[in-house]
Amino acid sequence: MSNIIASLDIGTSKICVVIGTQSPYHDQKLEVLGMGKVAADGIVRGMIVNIDKAAVAIKQALQAAEEDSGININIINVNIAGKHVVGACHHGSITRDSIEQEITVEDIQKLTHDMYRIVTPLGTEIIHTMPQEYTIDYEIVTQDPVGMSGVKLEANFHIITAKTHAIQNIHKCIKKAGVEAEIVMSSILAAGLAILSDEEKEAGVCLVDFGASIINLMVFFDSIIRYTATIPLGGHSITSDIQQNCMIMERQAELLKVKFGSVESKAFTTQAAVTIPGLRNRPPKEVFTTNLAKIVKARVEEIVEFIYEEILRSGFYEKLVAGIVITGGSANLPGIQSMLQQITGLDTRLGFPDEYLEEGGRKELRDPIYATAIGLALAGFKTLDYREAYYKATKSVHLDFSKKNSKKATKSSFSFTRMITKTKAFLVDDYDDR
């Protein structure tokens, strides 16, 4: 089968590989052919801290996905995450030669390419450069300047950078696992491809990816990425609070959170005792669900306040008509959707990566925990910016047209050359006859 796409989601708690292809029935949907998932190892807060352990875990996930699909892969799309992944706004401009010539796709690409030359903080490099509005000759402001006239072309860009050593460690790990990266994409951007609809991006929406150790946040407005941020808290913060307050093992605290953790109102009125096995020669412990709910609520409230502050800091709070979409593994915590809506005052929904999955696909993948893995696979044929696809198609048509003209010109030139040659021969023969 051709056009196989493989994605690798390197997370703090899990490593997931998805193998798929573009659906033959819908060009914007993914047909999943296989998947593999293992517990993460050698990764802390989204960053690789032990290359050998991480490489082994990645290899295991790859082998599971290959066995599931019956397809061997050597190229993947991989995510990058961590608090070192930072977004900031920058301004760029180019001066064109003539006002008479229309602005072309090549002009847009030159302006975007020039942004990769800006000086970033020491030890970091640019991983994404996303244009916002363009300005022509200091006056006209537009999202798409192609075809317009002007000399000075400027644009504001949202640029995402990451630590160089973190990028290099990802490449080292996946190479040890026997594959290479075609795309390295920020986790939140990948999740956005899988979760958000075109209508939400246009109306204004904030995507919150609630991971195990970090929370990624991204704001869309007018179908363009306007703001990204990282909050160094996550599901493990809740687990740690349970562990410390209940004096139990971390794995026991995680199980308590997953099975009984909740911030719904009924969790504070319905009391039940959960028995936790004690350590060797020690009696078991009892944890009441009402106390558990109080511990979880305190931490979740703090996290939601941080999210609210970041949304306000973005400057787009009043424009988020589509409100908030929350995804990621910790988004499954009962009641978190209602708490977000209550504290922020914005409509909130739980984001499932099912809109761009082919109908009748695997139900297990229709879970917020797989948003990034699905988005990375979709990145094989789906663009972050609606203008990218348009520019690519326009350039493709232009190139095809140029090739056709080139062929015609070559054929015509060849015929003309033959005609001249024959004429010269005729003249020479005629001269000799005389």
Side-chain angles (χ1 to χ4, degrees), residues 36-108:
K37 186 182 79 167
V38 299
D41 197 6
I43 299 163
V44 175
R45 293 192 175 276
M47 292 185 67
I48 296 168
V49 295
N50 188 308
I51 289 177
D52 290 333
K53 287 183 177 180
V56 169
I58 291 169
K59 184 66 176 177
Q60 291 172 347
L62 283 167
Q63 288 175 341
E66 288 176 339
E67 289 174 6
D68 188 28
S69 63
I71 300 169
N72 292 324
I73 58 172
N74 50 31
I75 300 292
I76 57 167
N77 297 337
V78 64
N79 68 316
I80 183 166
K83 62 181 181 180
H84 65 98
V85 181
V86 179
C89 288
H90 292 269
H91 185 79
S93 66
I94 60 171
T95 302
R96 303 173 64 249
D97 296 331
S98 173
I99 193 172
E100 296 177 0
Q101 295 179 348
E102 294 180 348
I103 295 171
T104 65
V105 174
E106 287 74 17
D107 292 325
I108 300 297

Side-chain angles (χ1 to χ4, degrees), residues 88-90 130-135 141-145 154-159 219 224-227 316 385-387:
C89 288
H90 292 269
M130 296 163 290
Q132 298 179 339
E133 288 96 356
Y134 294 89
T135 303
V141 178
T142 177
Q143 289 186 11
D144 183 8
E154 302 174 86
N156 291 321
F157 289 84
H158 187 76
I159 291 178
V219 173
I224 297 172
I225 296 170
R226 307 289 181 167
Y227 185 78
F316 285 88
D385 190 321
Y386 72 96
R387 294 168 293 188

Side-chain angles (χ1 to χ4, degrees), residues 5-35:
I5 307 163
S7 68
L8 169 63
D9 175 14
I10 302 174
T12 303
S13 61
K14 70 167 191 333
I15 291 174
C16 179
V17 173
V18 170
I19 299 175
T21 185
Q22 190 172 8
S23 171
Y25 308 107
H26 195 299
D27 61 3
Q28 289 294 301
K29 292 197 174 185
L30 177 73
E31 179 185 355
V32 176
L33 306 173
M35 71 160 291

Side-chain angles (χ1 to χ4, degrees), residues 111-294:
L111 176 57
T112 303
H113 185 265
D114 284 350
M115 296 307 297
Y116 282 92
R117 299 176 182 174
I118 66 171
V119 179
T120 60
L122 188 64
T124 67
E125 61 185 78
I126 296 171
I127 55 173
H128 299 291
T129 300
M130 296 163 290
Q132 298 179 339
E133 288 96 356
Y134 294 89
T135 303
I136 304 171
D137 291 342
Y138 307 103
E139 292 183 359
I140 302 172
V141 178
T142 177
Q143 289 186 11
D144 183 8
V146 174
M148 303 181 75
S149 298
V151 175
K152 187 80 168 180
L153 179 63
E154 302 174 86
N156 291 321
F157 289 84
H158 187 76
I159 291 178
I160 298 179
T161 60
K163 291 286 188 183
T164 301
H165 70 80
I167 299 171
Q168 291 173 345
N169 287 341
I170 288 174
H171 285 290
K172 287 178 183 178
C173 273
I174 61 177
K175 190 172 182 180
K176 275 179 172 279
V179 293
E180 293 182 0
E182 182 172 2
I183 297 173
V184 178
M185 180 179 285
S186 168
S187 294
I188 187 65
L189 299 188
L193 284 174
I195 297 294
L196 301 178
S197 68
D198 293 338
E199 291 79 8
E200 286 174 321
K201 293 176 185 178
E202 183 180 357
V205 66
C206 176
L207 176 64
V208 177
D209 186 1
F210 202 141
S213 59
I214 56 174
I215 295 170
N216 292 307
L217 181 145
M218 177 172 64
V219 173
F220 268 94
F221 180 69
D222 272 351
S223 302
I224 297 172
I225 296 170
R226 307 289 181 167
Y227 185 78
T228 56
T230 300
I231 301 170
L233 294 171
H236 279 178
S237 302
I238 302 170
T239 302
S240 180
D241 288 351
I242 296 170
Q243 179 188 1
Q244 292 177 18
N245 281 275
C246 299
M247 298 290 288
I248 55 178
M249 299 288 289
E250 183 181 356
R251 55 185 171 77
Q252 295 172 331
E254 181 67 20
L255 283 172
L256 264 181
K257 182 188 73 175
V258 172
K259 290 188 176 182
F260 304 101
S262 174
V263 289
E264 292 179 323
S265 55
K266 63 180 181 181
F268 300 92
T269 56
T270 306
Q271 180 165 287
V274 181
T275 303
I276 306 296
L279 296 176
R280 185 177 181 181
N281 297 325
R282 291 174 176 81
K285 291 185 177 181
E286 283 193 344
V287 176
F288 292 100
T289 53
T290 49
N291 291 336
L292 179 65
K294 290 175 184 177

